[in-house]
Amino acid sequence: MNKKEKEMLTGNSSDQLPEGVNLKNLLGNDVFIKWFLPRLKIVKEIQYWPEEKINKLVEIRLRQFLVHINNTSTFWQRYLGEHSVDLESSGIFSELCKIPVVDKTAYIEWGDNVFVSNNSILTKDYYTSGTTGPPFRIRIDEIRNIQNEMIYVFEPDVFQIQHVNELLRRKFIFLLGRKSTGLYVPYSEYFALDNFSMLSNRQTRQKIYSKINEYSYIYLFAYSSVILELMKYTREDGVTLPVIANLSGEAVSPEEEKFIYKTTGIPIIFSYNCKEAGKVGEKCLVNIGSSLYHIYRERVIVDIVDESGKQLENNEEGNIVLTVLDRTIMPIIRYSTGDRGRILSKLCSCGRLSPLLELQGRKKDIFLLSNGKTFSVILFQTLFVKEIGLENIARYQIIQTKLDEIRVNYISRKKISAEKVKFIEIILENTLNNQAKVNLKWVSDMENNNSGKSKVFISLEEYNSKNSI
């Protein structure tokens, strides 16, 4: 790591984000583009750095981060002190592990105390959708957000550096059915979908096709289920949309990922991220159709822990815990996302040296079976999609209504015979070792959450809560 790289990556550079640059004037801003492109080049290269080189960088950034919040926040100074964190220790990673794992509940209880105040910094509050619990307020420093997280919009290989210069000068993002309140705003146009069924309207689809082709949008940003449904219609309509699909907000099966990729012919951008932490990792082309993500290890420390908070070794599955090195207004430290996964020892065949995180899904995304065992919803979902055929259905929702009963509501695009439905039910029941009865049910409509996000799975706990008197 040379001096220039170190300055850029540790925040010590004399030419930080140029003065006056903000979300309102990013589009076509020559000063910003000239500053931005060299940093993008380094971040792309980082994914191929060896572990020793990355560790040196992360050690510097972690120490800087902890010292900063210790010196600028009474709350965090007391919190680090309570857990005897020695900021001058040569083993700063071990010091970090002294801090207990916390979740969203702790941050909500801490309230405004968690924010590091700085009256000279422009901040903005965001809220999680509330589909996985109470809405959670996130406060972000707008300048640092541009400086640190904007780069990861373009990190995937599908964005070549020589083309980013041109993209930053125009609107290249098409937001379908959901608005953006962050980094995408200057570069995007929003197309409203009042409800999911509008995609079944040919005139609506023609407007979408025309918009994308007329303005050369190459980045389609929407909830996964919306993109999946649009791709089904493009095949039916005989339309080619050469767009990069950004899937977000909802889990999809490997079969669904491959379907979208084969339809567009362009790599999908599928990141592991959350509003609390931003982008944690990204899939490379090799891993489309899998649950493997390259960790952005230069900005996020990912730990895998057991239920007691004990650190687990590589290849061991546990709870995913994040420490984000560039979130200083609202520090995210030893934060449990509610997801499960494991960090693999093996490296990816794509050539990147950044570790692979195998995401197992949310802790609650499991069936509770009558024999006391559990079963992964994503495995069930993958088999269901494979057997019923993506071309046959528009949407579906998996609901556990009892310990021994699972219902799959679906909206069909093509007629599915009663014999095929029964056959699929038997296959799914056998997969569950006949511990639950599976009922596939055709429905004419399906409820969306207020956020617009589709809820693919409703757990037994959630179902009982909604239906309790």
Side-chain angles (χ1 to χ4, degrees):
M1 182 166 49
N2 60 40
K3 182 180 179 182
K4 185 177 180 181
E5 291 173 338
K6 184 176 179 181
E7 286 182 343
M8 284 186 181
L9 297 170
T10 59
N12 290 330
S13 176
S14 58
D15 62 337
Q16 288 299 296
L17 188 68
E19 187 175 353
V21 171
N22 55 59
L23 284 174
K24 294 179 180 179
N25 62 25
L26 279 187
L27 186 64
N29 189 321
D30 285 317
V31 174
F32 170 69
I33 294 171
K34 183 179 180 180
W35 175 91
F36 180 82
L37 293 179
R39 284 155 179 79
L40 174 61
K41 183 175 184 293
I42 288 179
V43 167
K44 282 179 175 285
E45 292 173 354
I46 280 175
Q47 312 313 315
Y48 299 88
W49 282 10
E51 184 177 2
E52 308 79 48
K53 188 174 180 180
I54 273 289
N55 283 346
K56 290 180 181 178
L57 169 64
V58 175
E59 181 178 355
I60 294 170
R61 295 191 71 178
L62 175 59
R63 193 183 305 277
Q64 284 182 336
F65 170 65
L66 294 177
V67 167
H68 170 76
I69 64 172
N70 182 74
N71 292 344
T72 54
S73 167
T74 303
F75 171 81
W76 287 106
Q77 182 181 68
R78 183 174 65 250
Y79 188 73
L80 296 176
E82 287 174 355
H83 300 291
S84 304
V85 177
D86 182 359
L87 300 179
E88 297 182 359
S89 170
S90 58
I92 196 66
F93 294 112
S94 297
E95 295 300 312
L96 177 65
C97 290
K98 290 180 180 179
I99 300 173
V101 173
V102 295
D103 58 15
K104 179 166 58 176
T105 302
Y107 273 82
I108 292 174
E109 290 176 352
W110 289 338
D112 288 354
N113 292 323
V114 76
F115 301 137
V116 178
S117 60
N118 186 331
N119 294 330
S120 65
I121 292 177
L122 178 64
T123 64
K124 188 166 185 177
D125 287 357
Y126 298 87
Y127 289 83
T128 58
S129 64
T131 57
T132 57
F136 180 23
R137 180 171 53 148
I138 315 297
R139 180 165 295 174
I140 294 176
D141 171 354
E142 181 177 304
I143 298 302
R144 279 188 173 268
N145 201 24
I146 297 171
Q147 179 176 309
N148 297 313
E149 296 187 46
M150 182 76 176
I151 286 173
Y152 293 96
V153 173
F154 301 99
E155 188 283 324
D157 287 344
V158 68
F159 289 111
Q160 299 297 315
I161 289 181
Q162 61 266 32
H163 299 145
V164 173
N165 186 352
E166 185 266 332
L167 293 178
L168 290 172
R169 299 178 186 281
R170 67 177 177 88
K171 293 194 174 187
F172 66 96
I173 301 171
F174 191 68
L175 296 169
L176 182 58
R178 62 177 299 191
K179 291 184 178 180
S180 173
T181 53
L183 292 171
Y184 299 105
V185 170
Y187 304 102
S188 63
E189 179 173 343
Y190 170 62
F191 188 95
L193 286 176
D194 294 332
N195 57 66
F196 192 92
S197 63
M198 285 185 67
L199 281 179
S200 64
N201 183 296
R202 180 175 288 273
Q203 289 184 335
T204 299
R205 297 201 304 275
Q206 289 301 327
K207 289 179 182 179
I208 293 171
Y209 301 155
S210 296
K211 281 281 187 181
I212 291 174
N213 290 319
E214 181 181 355
Y215 295 98
S216 299
Y217 291 111
I218 67 163
Y219 198 14
L220 177 62
F221 192 93
Y223 286 125
S224 303
S225 59
V226 175
I227 291 179
L228 179 61
E229 178 64 1
L230 182 65
M231 292 302 106
K232 292 175 185 176
Y233 277 116
T234 61
R235 287 193 177 194
E236 184 179 289
D237 296 338
V239 173
T240 300
L241 290 180
V243 292
I244 304 162
N246 183 305
L247 310 184
S248 68
E250 305 158 324
V252 296
S253 70
E255 292 293 326
E256 291 165 323
E257 275 190 43
K258 292 174 184 176
F259 180 90
I260 296 169
Y261 175 39
K262 289 177 181 177
T263 303
T264 64
I266 297 178
I268 301 168
I269 290 181
F270 207 135
S271 58
Y272 174 46
N273 65 302
C274 57
K275 281 191 177 178
E276 300 94 309
K279 286 185 181 288
V280 176
E282 201 85 35
K283 286 187 182 181
C284 67
L285 180 59
V286 171
N287 294 317
I288 290 176
S290 77
S291 299
L292 299 177
Y293 298 80
H294 287 282
I295 299 172
Y296 290 137
R297 51 191 172 159
E298 69 279 3
R299 75 167 298 261
V300 184
I301 297 174
V302 179
D303 292 318
I304 307 296
V305 304
D306 63 17
E307 296 300 328
S308 67
K310 178 186 175 184
Q311 195 92 4
L312 297 177
E313 300 292 331
N314 283 356
N315 304 312
E316 292 185 315
E317 181 185 331
N319 301 323
I320 296 175
V321 171
L322 308 177
T323 299
V324 186
L325 302 176
D326 55 31
R327 289 285 178 92
T328 53
I329 290 296
M330 181 178 170
I332 300 297
I333 303 176
R334 302 278 284 165
Y335 176 79
S336 178
T337 65
D339 294 327
R340 290 183 62 80
R342 59 178 181 150
I343 296 174
L344 304 185
S345 295
K346 71 173 185 178
L347 295 176
C348 184
S349 61
C350 74
R352 288 175 175 80
L353 299 180
S354 51
L356 285 171
L357 172 66
E358 184 176 47
L359 190 62
Q360 304 295 337
R362 301 198 69 81
K363 290 169 66 176
K364 293 184 178 181
D365 284 353
I366 55 172
F367 296 124
L368 303 174
L369 302 178
S370 55
N371 62 358
K373 295 183 178 181
T374 62
F375 192 86
S376 166
V377 171
I378 192 66
L379 294 178
F380 181 93
Q381 177 183 347
T382 300
L383 182 59
F384 165 73
V385 166
K386 180 180 179 181
E387 292 296 334
I388 202 165
L390 278 172
E391 70 281 1
N392 295 325
I393 54 172
R395 295 180 70 195
Y396 64 90
Q397 186 176 65
I398 302 167
I399 307 168
Q400 182 166 16
T401 55
K402 298 178 182 178
L403 277 176
D404 58 356
E405 184 177 279
I406 294 166
R407 186 172 76 234
V408 183
N409 293 335
Y410 67 92
I411 300 173
S412 60
R413 301 178 70 245
K414 295 183 179 180
K415 183 175 176 58
I416 304 173
S417 68
E419 291 80 10
K420 182 171 184 176
V421 168
K422 184 62 179 177
F423 178 70
I424 296 171
E425 288 174 343
I426 292 172
I427 289 176
L428 295 173
E429 288 169 357
N430 288 338
T431 301
L432 297 171
N433 293 319
N434 294 307
Q435 291 298 308
K437 182 74 175 174
V438 176
N439 177 27
L440 304 189
K441 183 180 179 182
W442 177 87
V443 295
S444 59
D445 196 10
M446 204 171 289
E447 182 182 358
N448 273 336
N449 290 292
N450 292 333
S451 66
K453 185 187 294 188
S454 175
K455 188 91 169 178
V456 173
F457 173 59
I458 296 178
S459 67
L460 179 60
E461 179 184 6
E462 187 176 353
Y463 176 81
N464 288 337
S465 176
K466 285 184 176 180
N467 291 276
S468 62
I469 299 176

